[in-house]
Structure formats: C-alpha cells, structure tokens
Amino acid sequence: MKLPVLKESLYCIGALLIWLAVTILFIGFRPEHVFMALLIAGMFFASAPTRRLVVALLPFIAFGISYDWMNLLPNYEVNPVDVEGLYSTEKSLFGISTAAGMLTPNEFFAIHHVPLMDFMAGIFYLCWVPLPIFYGLWLYFSGKDYDYLRFALVFLLVNLIGFGLYYVHPAVPPWYVASHGFEAVPGTPGEVAGLGYFDSMTGLGVFNALYARNANVFAAMPSLHSAYTFVAFIYAMIIGSSRTWKFILGFVTLGIWFTAVYTSHHYILDVCGGIACSLAAVLLFEQVLMRMPAFSAWLGRYAAYIKFTKK
C-alpha cells in the first residue's frame, strides 16, 4: 500500500475536519456525515487507485456538500419568495382551458393522472442524480479521464449557477400553491406531491424519505432535476459516446422534464430554467474557461493525477 505524501494527507484530513465542523456546528449532526467522512478518508489512504478515485469524485462531493450547506443561510432570508408570480405566468403562457376554468399543466395532470405514468414518473425521478454519476464513472473507468473531468466539472458548475439563482429568486414549486396557497411560510416541509403514487404502488416510501429531508422547498426555479441528465446527454454528444448511452440519457432526460411537470414538482418555466442553466454552464466551461491557458493546464494536471490504470 502506497500512502499519500504528507501534503496530500494534510489536505485530505484538514478538508474533512473543516467540512464536519461547519456542518455539525451550523446545520446539525447526522450519522451519515461521519460515515461519509470515514469512507472518503478510508478510500484516500487505502491505495493509490482508490485515492485517485476520491480525487476524481471531488466535483460530485463538492456538489453534495454545497447542497447541504444551503441550510447555512436559507434563500428566503435573502430575497422575497416568488409564490404567485410564476404561477400566474405559467397559467398565462401554458394554461389549459377546461370546464372548471383555466388550469396550469400541473393542475391538469393532478386531476388527469394514470397509473403507468405514475410508475414511470418515479423511475425517471430516481435517475436524476444516480444516472449522471454512473455515466461519469463509466467515462472514468473507460480511461477517458479528461472527458470525465469536463463533464464532472460542468455538472458542479450547473449546480453552483442554479444554487446562486435560488438566492436571487427564491420560488415555490407548484405543489406548494396547491397545498398552502400564495403565502410563503418558512420551514414548510417538503412534499412528495405526484410522486406519492409511486410510493403507494411500490410500498418503498423512497420519495417520502427524500422529500422529508428537502434542504429548501423554496428552490424550484431553475429545476436542477431537469439539468443533470441533460448535461450528461450533452457530453455524450460532445464526447461521442455510444448510441446506447445517447439514447438512455436522452430518453431519461425527456422523461424527467415531463415528470417534473406531471408530478407538480416544477412548472414548465422551471424546466426551461434548468435547461438554460445547463446550456450556460456548458458554454461558460467550454468556450470561456477551456480557452484560458492556466485553466486548461490545471485541468490537464488534474486529469493526469486521477488517471485510471488497469492492473
């Protein structure tokens, strides 16, 4: 077993201690935080291949931490929450005329839902983070270290842009209006909305568990659910991944876009915002950052460090 050099060891231990200290002091202790810290440290010191994998996964680790750290300063304490504005705009742009009056697409689907789509909606939404990470790992273990990093860093960049917009424009999801009206009440717990049908069908309770721990319900615009697999699809096209990967990522992306609206978790406007975030992140990374010699050189060193070698 080849141990990391002292400098690397200090970076790893120091970063983990800072993360745990900030999280425990300002958010609260959860056993999974310690578990993840021990897992990361164990992989980092276990062997050179697992150490390279930990460093390769840093963009995804940073994504998870940044999402959790949104609890440090709730966005509704920074700017007013948009409750009625998005709802009214959605209805004016995409409203569906019915005998009961004009409905948003979310309201229409809440009345007209079918078991098959309820089930598929759950399948699609379970893919929103795991599938992009799995695609990234496939790139990495296929020896495409440089391409993997491009995708992983853009994935992180999409999140940073999206999280920033959550603070600029806090907004409620459609289910909030249906359940609570047009008044923003801080501390309102998350709801499964239309995804509850999947939980009822399967008895798994997976979405009830996920949304019970939602970091912030006032973070609906843009829809990052709509961005993640889309970014993976974009890079599958750029990199030239197999037709199978392109089909899977494209199909799931379309499914997630529809599901976001179908289950009342997002407006069509939110989905468009997520798509815009994805395109902006790709353009910023590929057309601005990658054209900076210092950044491209750093990326090359990063790719060389994490290079996966089969033994």
XYZ file of all heavy atoms in Angstrom, residues 189-277:
682
model
N -42.336 21.903 5.395
C -41.635 20.676 4.983
C -41.911 20.345 3.520
O -42.901 20.787 2.936
C -42.230 19.606 5.912
C -43.579 20.137 6.274
C -43.436 21.628 6.341
N -41.025 19.553 2.941
C -41.203 19.125 1.564
C -42.347 18.128 1.432
O -42.766 17.512 2.419
N -42.841 17.991 0.224
C -43.915 17.040 -0.058
C -43.556 16.215 -1.290
O -42.852 16.690 -2.190
C -45.239 17.773 -0.311
C -45.859 18.391 0.918
C -47.229 18.979 0.629
O -47.851 18.588 -0.384
O -47.664 19.845 1.408
N -44.065 15.000 -1.333
C -43.807 14.132 -2.490
C -44.677 14.509 -3.673
O -44.337 14.188 -4.817
C -44.034 12.652 -2.147
C -43.019 12.169 -1.157
C -45.456 12.429 -1.624
N -45.802 15.187 -3.419
C -46.746 15.558 -4.475
C -47.109 14.329 -5.306
O -47.400 13.271 -4.765
C -46.176 16.685 -5.320
N -47.034 14.453 -6.646
C -47.433 13.351 -7.517
C -46.575 12.113 -7.408
O -46.987 11.022 -7.830
N -45.385 12.244 -6.850
C -44.508 11.073 -6.692
C -45.020 10.135 -5.599
O -44.537 9.010 -5.476
C -43.083 11.521 -6.378
C -42.359 12.223 -7.525
C -41.057 12.848 -7.041
C -42.069 11.247 -8.665
N -45.991 10.595 -4.832
C -46.567 9.738 -3.795
C -47.263 8.519 -4.375
O -47.356 7.474 -3.713
N -47.735 8.639 -5.619
C -48.381 7.489 -6.253
C -47.391 6.348 -6.454
O -47.733 5.174 -6.304
C -48.985 7.895 -7.602
C -50.112 8.887 -7.481
C -49.996 10.168 -8.025
C -51.298 8.557 -6.832
C -51.021 11.088 -7.914
C -52.340 9.468 -6.716
C -52.193 10.739 -7.261
O -53.216 11.646 -7.148
N -46.151 6.697 -6.785
C -45.110 5.670 -6.955
C -44.836 4.976 -5.626
O -44.721 3.751 -5.568
C -43.833 6.301 -7.496
C -42.696 5.326 -7.697
C -42.596 4.591 -8.863
C -41.727 5.148 -6.705
C -41.546 3.691 -9.051
C -40.691 4.256 -6.880
C -40.596 3.522 -8.064
N -44.735 5.760 -4.566
C -44.503 5.177 -3.234
C -45.649 4.239 -2.846
O -45.426 3.166 -2.278
C -44.364 6.287 -2.192
C -42.954 6.869 -2.149
O -42.095 6.391 -2.914
O -42.718 7.794 -1.351
N -46.866 4.657 -3.151
C -48.027 3.821 -2.811
C -48.046 2.534 -3.613
O -48.372 1.462 -3.082
C -49.326 4.600 -3.062
O -49.395 5.743 -2.227
N -47.679 2.632 -4.883
C -47.662 1.449 -5.752
C -46.628 0.427 -5.308
O -46.891 -0.770 -5.263
C -47.316 1.852 -7.198
C -48.419 2.469 -7.988
S -47.794 2.850 -9.642
C -49.276 3.526 -10.374
N -45.445 0.915 -5.003
C -44.313 0.030 -4.724
C -44.151 -0.294 -3.247
O -43.519 -1.291 -2.896
C -43.007 0.668 -5.228
O -42.783 1.906 -4.538
C -43.084 0.943 -6.733
N -44.701 0.549 -2.372
C -44.524 0.357 -0.942
C -43.128 0.677 -0.459
O -42.774 0.375 0.687
N -42.328 1.330 -1.298
C -40.933 1.610 -0.938
C -40.784 2.838 -0.049
O -39.877 2.909 0.778
C -40.101 1.803 -2.223
C -39.973 0.586 -3.139
C -39.227 0.957 -4.422
C -39.253 -0.545 -2.422
N -41.626 3.820 -0.258
C -41.529 5.038 0.545
C -40.285 5.852 0.268
O -39.892 6.698 1.078
N -39.662 5.638 -0.898
C -38.385 6.278 -1.184
C -38.522 7.792 -1.316
O -37.697 8.553 -0.802
C -37.746 5.673 -2.459
C -38.650 5.827 -3.679
C -36.399 6.294 -2.738
N -39.574 8.269 -1.962
C -39.716 9.710 -2.153
C -40.185 10.405 -0.879
O -39.814 11.554 -0.622
C -40.671 9.991 -3.318
C -40.084 9.631 -4.652
C -40.573 8.547 -5.371
C -39.020 10.347 -5.178
C -40.029 8.191 -6.593
C -38.466 10.000 -6.396
C -38.965 8.923 -7.110
N -40.969 9.707 -0.078
C -41.328 10.269 1.225
C -40.074 10.507 2.059
O -39.952 11.529 2.747
C -42.276 9.323 1.970
C -43.729 9.551 1.593
O -44.303 10.575 1.928
N -44.315 8.599 0.874
N -39.134 9.578 2.003
C -37.887 9.717 2.756
C -37.034 10.855 2.203
O -36.436 11.627 2.955
C -37.109 8.406 2.717
N -36.990 10.971 0.870
C -36.159 12.004 0.242
C -36.699 13.402 0.518
O -35.952 14.302 0.927
C -36.083 11.769 -1.267
C -35.197 10.626 -1.751
C -35.374 10.416 -3.258
C -33.736 10.909 -1.439
N -37.996 13.588 0.303
C -38.546 14.938 0.406
C -38.801 15.366 1.837
O -38.986 16.558 2.110
C -39.802 15.061 -0.452
C -39.451 15.176 -1.920
C -39.461 14.062 -2.746
C -39.056 16.398 -2.466
C -39.109 14.156 -4.082
C -38.699 16.509 -3.794
C -38.730 15.377 -4.603
O -38.363 15.488 -5.918
N -38.808 14.423 2.751
C -38.917 14.796 4.164
C -37.667 15.541 4.626
O -37.688 16.268 5.612
C -39.132 13.552 5.018
N -36.555 15.360 3.868
C -35.288 15.995 4.250
C -34.847 17.014 3.214
O -33.671 17.316 3.086
C -34.213 14.918 4.427
C -34.622 13.843 5.430
C -33.582 12.776 5.568
N -32.405 13.295 6.220
C -31.383 12.533 6.624
N -31.426 11.235 6.444
N -30.352 13.069 7.200
N -35.818 17.551 2.473
C -35.517 18.541 1.454
C -34.845 19.751 2.091
O -35.330 20.297 3.084
C -36.818 18.967 0.765
C -36.567 19.782 -0.495
O -35.434 19.973 -0.904
N -37.642 20.246 -1.105
N -33.719 20.161 1.507
C -32.957 21.277 2.082
C -33.753 22.576 2.080
O -33.654 23.382 2.999
C -31.647 21.471 1.310
N -34.569 22.819 1.056
C -35.299 24.068 0.973
C -36.391 23.930 -0.075
O -36.103 23.690 -1.244
C -34.342 25.206 0.601
C -35.015 26.565 0.639
O -36.207 26.675 0.885
N -34.241 27.605 0.399
N -37.638 24.089 0.329
C -38.740 23.941 -0.634
C -38.879 25.177 -1.515
O -39.587 25.141 -2.512
C -40.078 23.651 0.073
C -39.989 22.370 0.879
C -40.509 24.817 0.951
N -38.218 26.279 -1.135
C -38.312 27.497 -1.933
C -37.174 27.569 -2.953
O -36.561 28.621 -3.161
C -38.289 28.740 -1.024
C -39.400 28.755 -0.008
C -39.201 29.317 1.231
C -40.644 28.217 -0.306
C -40.241 29.349 2.175
C -41.683 28.239 0.628
C -41.477 28.801 1.867
N -36.892 26.462 -3.563
C -35.803 26.392 -4.543
C -36.272 25.589 -5.754
O -35.758 24.518 -6.054
C -34.567 25.753 -3.919
N -37.279 26.139 -6.429
C -37.877 25.425 -7.553
C -37.439 25.963 -8.911
O -37.514 25.257 -9.911
C -39.407 25.492 -7.457
N -36.969 27.196 -8.941
C -36.586 27.825 -10.206
C -35.134 28.247 -10.151
O -34.763 29.079 -9.309
C -37.481 29.037 -10.460
C -37.044 29.911 -11.612
S -36.943 29.037 -13.164
C -37.887 30.106 -14.247
N -34.251 27.655 -10.961
C -34.499 26.691 -12.040
C -34.632 25.261 -11.512
O -34.228 24.969 -10.391
C -33.256 26.822 -12.904
C -32.172 27.142 -11.914
C -32.831 28.059 -10.894
N -35.166 24.383 -12.358
C -35.285 22.970 -11.998
C -33.970 22.258 -12.304
O -33.675 21.958 -13.462
C -36.416 22.313 -12.795
O -36.334 20.905 -12.707
N -33.186 21.996 -11.262
C -31.935 21.263 -11.482
C -32.197 19.788 -11.751
O -31.341 19.098 -12.313
C -31.002 21.456 -10.282
C -30.468 22.881 -10.116
C -29.510 22.968 -8.939
C -29.765 23.364 -11.384
N -33.378 19.296 -11.358
C -33.763 17.949 -11.777
C -33.690 17.842 -13.301
O -33.304 16.809 -13.848
C -35.204 17.633 -11.341
C -35.347 17.311 -9.890
N -35.613 18.259 -8.946
C -35.285 16.128 -9.225
C -35.694 17.695 -7.743
N -35.498 16.404 -7.876
N -34.090 18.924 -13.959
C -34.145 18.928 -15.417
C -32.774 19.130 -16.052
O -32.633 18.975 -17.264
C -35.091 20.035 -15.901
O -36.379 19.882 -15.354
N -31.779 19.492 -15.238
C -30.470 19.836 -15.784
C -29.483 18.671 -15.791
O -28.671 18.545 -16.715
C -29.870 20.991 -14.977
N -29.523 17.810 -14.781
C -28.436 16.860 -14.574
C -28.260 15.860 -15.713
O -27.167 15.712 -16.272
C -28.639 16.118 -13.254
C -28.542 17.012 -12.035
C -29.098 16.627 -10.820
C -27.909 18.252 -12.093
C -29.016 17.445 -9.696
C -27.830 19.067 -10.974
C -28.383 18.659 -9.780
O -28.292 19.469 -8.689
N -29.317 15.123 -16.043
C -29.161 14.146 -17.128
C -29.009 14.849 -18.466
O -28.413 14.291 -19.395
C -30.344 13.163 -17.183
O -31.562 13.895 -17.327
C -30.400 12.302 -15.923
N -29.539 16.072 -18.567
C -29.371 16.834 -19.812
C -27.904 17.167 -20.041
O -27.402 17.066 -21.167
C -30.215 18.106 -19.745
C -30.169 18.940 -21.000
C -30.305 18.354 -22.254
C -29.994 20.317 -20.939
C -30.271 19.116 -23.421
C -29.959 21.083 -22.077
C -30.093 20.494 -23.329
N -27.199 17.569 -18.979
C -25.762 17.837 -19.106
C -25.019 16.567 -19.519
O -24.126 16.599 -20.371
C -25.193 18.389 -17.783
C -23.672 18.408 -17.804
C -25.726 19.786 -17.533
N -25.399 15.447 -18.911
C -24.772 14.174 -19.287
C -25.041 13.863 -20.757
O -24.147 13.391 -21.480
C -25.290 13.054 -18.398
N -26.263 14.121 -21.216
C -26.611 13.888 -22.627
C -25.777 14.784 -23.540
O -25.271 14.333 -24.578
C -28.098 14.155 -22.847
C -28.515 14.089 -24.287
C -28.610 12.876 -24.950
C -28.799 15.263 -24.988
C -28.984 12.818 -26.288
C -29.170 15.220 -26.314
C -29.263 13.992 -26.968
N -25.625 16.048 -23.156
C -24.826 16.972 -23.963
C -23.400 16.444 -24.118
O -22.831 16.443 -25.221
C -24.812 18.381 -23.332
C -26.196 19.027 -23.443
C -23.758 19.260 -23.997
C -26.324 20.344 -22.702
N -22.816 15.973 -23.009
C -21.440 15.484 -23.096
C -21.347 14.141 -23.799
O -20.324 13.830 -24.419
C -20.780 15.472 -21.715
C -20.170 16.821 -21.441
C -20.913 17.813 -20.819
C -18.893 17.126 -21.882
C -20.390 19.073 -20.629
C -18.356 18.384 -21.702
C -19.106 19.365 -21.077
O -18.581 20.623 -20.910
N -22.403 13.359 -23.733
C -22.416 12.124 -24.527
C -22.347 12.461 -26.011
O -21.695 11.753 -26.793
C -23.671 11.313 -24.222
N -22.986 13.557 -26.403
C -22.938 14.017 -27.783
C -21.581 14.620 -28.115
O -20.993 14.338 -29.170
C -24.044 15.041 -28.039
C -25.461 14.516 -27.818
S -25.914 13.178 -28.952
C -25.999 14.083 -30.499
N -21.049 15.444 -27.223
C -19.759 16.098 -27.473
C -18.627 15.077 -27.552
O -17.773 15.123 -28.444
C -19.458 17.138 -26.366
C -20.430 18.313 -26.442
C -18.013 17.637 -26.470
C -20.291 19.306 -25.297
N -18.620 14.163 -26.592
C -17.542 13.181 -26.494
C -17.674 12.113 -27.563
O -16.683 11.530 -28.008
C -17.544 12.549 -25.083
C -17.186 13.610 -24.035
C -16.570 11.378 -24.997
C -17.481 13.162 -22.611
N -18.887 11.855 -27.986
C -19.119 10.790 -28.957
C -19.295 9.443 -28.284
O -18.757 8.435 -28.755
N -20.067 9.426 -27.189
C -20.339 8.163 -26.505
C -21.224 7.285 -27.396
O -21.736 7.726 -28.425
C -21.033 8.413 -25.161
O -20.174 9.106 -24.276
N -21.417 6.057 -26.979
C -22.155 5.097 -27.793
C -23.608 5.521 -27.997
O -24.146 6.330 -27.234
C -22.128 3.723 -27.125
O -22.870 3.750 -25.909
N -24.231 4.970 -29.015
C -25.640 5.263 -29.263
C -26.506 4.837 -28.085
O -27.522 5.471 -27.793
C -26.100 4.548 -30.537
C -25.494 5.108 -31.817
C -26.036 4.362 -33.021
N -25.461 4.878 -34.258
C -25.723 4.391 -35.470
N -26.569 3.357 -35.593
N -25.171 4.924 -36.541
N -26.083 3.781 -27.414
C -26.847 3.312 -26.249
C -26.884 4.377 -25.166
O -27.943 4.679 -24.605
C -26.236 2.015 -25.692
O -26.258 1.016 -26.710
C -27.015 1.525 -24.481
N -25.724 4.944 -24.874
C -25.660 5.994 -23.862
C -26.469 7.210 -24.295
O -27.199 7.814 -23.486
C -24.221 6.403 -23.576
C -23.587 5.695 -22.435
C -22.486 4.890 -22.453
C -24.034 5.716 -21.068
N -22.218 4.407 -21.203
C -23.146 4.897 -20.326
C -25.088 6.322 -20.403
C -23.286 4.697 -18.954
C -25.237 6.126 -19.033
C -24.344 5.320 -18.329
N -26.349 7.598 -25.545
C -27.093 8.766 -26.031
C -28.596 8.533 -25.904
O -29.336 9.426 -25.495
C -26.724 9.058 -27.482
C -25.292 9.545 -27.670
C -24.957 9.683 -29.147
C -23.500 10.071 -29.352
N -23.127 10.098 -30.785
N -29.032 7.319 -26.259
C -30.461 7.020 -26.183
C -30.943 7.024 -24.735
O -31.971 7.630 -24.418
C -30.755 5.659 -26.817
C -32.190 5.215 -26.620
C -33.203 5.737 -27.407
C -32.521 4.297 -25.617
C -34.525 5.363 -27.201
C -33.834 3.912 -25.413
C -34.842 4.452 -26.215
N -30.198 6.343 -23.854
C -30.611 6.261 -22.447
C -30.695 7.657 -21.830
O -31.698 8.026 -21.211
C -29.643 5.377 -21.639
C -29.761 3.910 -22.082
C -29.914 5.504 -20.143
C -28.724 3.006 -21.467
N -29.638 8.441 -22.020
C -29.605 9.772 -21.412
C -30.657 10.691 -22.030
O -31.299 11.469 -21.321
C -28.208 10.376 -21.560
C -27.116 9.695 -20.723
C -25.738 10.189 -21.139
C -27.338 9.945 -19.233
N -30.838 10.608 -23.343
C -31.844 11.431 -23.996
C -33.252 11.061 -23.568
O -34.080 11.923 -23.261
N -33.530 9.757 -23.505
C -34.857 9.277 -23.123
C -35.182 9.644 -21.678
O -36.266 10.142 -21.371
C -34.929 7.759 -23.317
C -36.235 7.144 -22.916
C -37.385 7.370 -23.664
C -36.335 6.337 -21.787
C -38.606 6.806 -23.297
C -37.542 5.766 -21.417
C -38.682 6.010 -22.172
N -34.231 9.415 -20.784
C -34.458 9.732 -19.371
C -34.600 11.241 -19.170
O -35.414 11.695 -18.364
C -33.324 9.160 -18.497
C -33.438 9.654 -17.060
C -33.354 7.639 -18.523
N -33.823 12.024 -19.910
C -33.928 13.482 -19.801
C -35.325 13.960 -20.165
O -35.940 14.742 -19.433
C -32.892 14.164 -20.711
O -31.571 13.855 -20.244
C -33.068 15.684 -20.691
N -35.857 13.475 -21.279
C -37.210 13.846 -21.681
C -38.224 13.375 -20.629
O -39.183 14.092 -20.322
C -37.542 13.247 -23.043
C -36.759 13.808 -24.237
C -37.098 13.036 -25.507
C -37.063 15.294 -24.430
N -37.985 12.175 -20.091
C -38.876 11.647 -19.057
C -38.857 12.496 -17.807
O -39.907 12.748 -17.199
N -37.697 12.970 -17.411
C -37.581 13.815 -16.213
C -38.252 15.160 -16.460
O -38.938 15.699 -15.569
C -36.109 13.985 -15.808
C -35.569 12.672 -15.219
C -35.944 15.124 -14.799
C -34.097 12.708 -14.875
N -38.056 15.734 -17.635
C -38.705 17.007 -17.939
C -40.223 16.884 -17.810
O -40.870 17.738 -17.219
C -38.344 17.467 -19.352
C -36.918 17.897 -19.501
C -35.990 18.067 -18.512
C -36.247 18.219 -20.723
N -34.781 18.465 -19.039
C -34.908 18.574 -20.383
C -36.635 18.249 -22.060
C -33.971 18.936 -21.363
C -35.698 18.616 -23.028
C -34.389 18.961 -22.679
N -40.772 15.811 -18.380
C -42.219 15.612 -18.295
C -42.645 15.337 -16.858
O -43.631 15.899 -16.369
C -42.645 14.452 -19.198
C -44.110 14.144 -19.112
C -45.044 14.949 -19.736
C -44.563 13.055 -18.377
C -46.405 14.680 -19.646
C -45.921 12.766 -18.278
C -46.846 13.585 -18.915
N -41.895 14.489 -16.175
C -42.239 14.117 -14.799
C -42.237 15.322 -13.869
O -43.076 15.436 -12.976
C -41.256 13.053 -14.277
O -41.397 11.866 -15.055
C -41.514 12.732 -12.817
N -41.282 16.232 -14.055
C -41.199 17.414 -13.203
C -42.514 18.184 -13.209
O -42.973 18.673 -12.165
C -40.051 18.308 -13.677
N -43.122 18.282 -14.379
C -44.397 18.992 -14.513
C -45.562 18.087 -14.107
O -46.465 18.504 -13.384
C -44.582 19.497 -15.955
C -45.925 20.204 -16.120
C -43.437 20.426 -16.354
N -45.524 16.849 -14.542
C -46.606 15.889 -14.306
C -46.863 15.681 -12.817
O -48.010 15.534 -12.388
C -46.237 14.568 -14.971
C -47.231 13.439 -14.775
C -48.403 13.385 -15.523
C -46.984 12.419 -13.850
C -49.319 12.351 -15.352
C -47.884 11.383 -13.673
C -49.054 11.351 -14.424
O -49.948 10.328 -14.251
N -45.806 15.667 -12.011
C -45.938 15.398 -10.577
C -46.071 16.669 -9.735
O -46.057 16.610 -8.503
C -44.726 14.602 -10.063
O -43.537 15.367 -10.296
C -44.627 13.255 -10.772
N -46.169 17.825 -10.389
C -46.317 19.118 -9.702
C -45.089 19.522 -8.889
O -45.199 20.284 -7.919
C -47.560 19.122 -8.787
O -48.738 19.169 -9.558
N -43.930 19.047 -9.291
C -42.705 19.476 -8.610
C -42.097 20.709 -9.270
O -41.306 21.421 -8.641
C -41.687 18.338 -8.559
C -41.938 17.398 -7.429
N -41.489 17.622 -6.156
C -42.646 16.250 -7.365
C -41.885 16.647 -5.352
N -42.591 15.802 -6.064
N -42.454 20.951 -10.525
C -41.932 22.121 -11.223
C -42.925 22.609 -12.263
O -43.716 21.827 -12.802
C -40.601 21.798 -11.915
C -39.456 21.591 -10.976
N -38.826 22.623 -10.328
C -38.843 20.450 -10.571
C -37.867 22.126 -9.552
N -37.862 20.822 -9.674
N -42.845 23.905 -12.534
C -43.558 24.472 -13.664
C -42.749 24.223 -14.941
O -41.543 23.930 -14.879
C -43.740 25.980 -13.487
C -44.606 26.380 -12.318
C -44.072 27.053 -11.215
C -45.981 26.106 -12.326
C -44.871 27.439 -10.158
C -46.782 26.487 -11.255
C -46.225 27.143 -10.175
O -47.021 27.506 -9.116
N -43.407 24.384 -16.080
C -42.674 24.323 -17.356
C -41.586 25.393 -17.368
O -40.486 25.174 -17.873
C -43.636 24.501 -18.546
C -44.592 23.306 -18.646
C -42.860 24.660 -19.858
C -45.657 23.441 -19.717
N -41.881 26.535 -16.783
C -40.883 27.617 -16.701
C -39.652 27.175 -15.919
O -38.521 27.531 -16.278
C -41.505 28.849 -16.050
C -42.564 29.587 -16.876
C -43.266 30.630 -16.011
C -41.934 30.246 -18.093
N -39.848 26.410 -14.845
C -38.719 25.905 -14.059
C -37.850 24.978 -14.910
O -36.612 25.015 -14.839
C -39.215 25.124 -12.839
C -40.072 25.957 -11.915
O -39.960 27.194 -11.938
O -40.861 25.361 -11.157
N -38.521 24.112 -15.677
C -37.801 23.174 -16.539
C -36.981 23.945 -17.565
O -35.801 23.629 -17.808
C -38.778 22.210 -17.237
C -38.047 21.343 -18.260
C -39.482 21.328 -16.208
N -37.578 24.977 -18.165
C -36.847 25.806 -19.122
C -35.650 26.477 -18.450
O -34.574 26.614 -19.051
C -37.774 26.863 -19.717
S -39.060 26.195 -20.794
N -35.824 26.875 -17.193
C -34.715 27.467 -16.450
C -33.588 26.476 -16.242
O -32.404 26.827 -16.348
N -33.921 25.217 -15.940
C -32.903 24.183 -15.776
C -32.160 23.912 -17.069
O -30.928 23.732 -17.070
N -32.886 23.900 -18.174
C -32.251 23.706 -19.481
C -31.295 24.864 -19.770
O -30.164 24.658 -20.245
C -33.320 23.595 -20.578
C -34.156 22.324 -20.383
C -32.685 23.600 -21.973
C -35.384 22.247 -21.263
N -31.748 26.089 -19.483
C -30.913 27.264 -19.710
C -29.646 27.221 -18.856
O -28.552 27.578 -19.320
C -31.709 28.536 -19.420
N -29.775 26.763 -17.596
C -28.607 26.629 -16.720
C -27.596 25.652 -17.312
O -26.383 25.891 -17.275
C -29.037 26.145 -15.338
S -29.524 27.449 -14.222
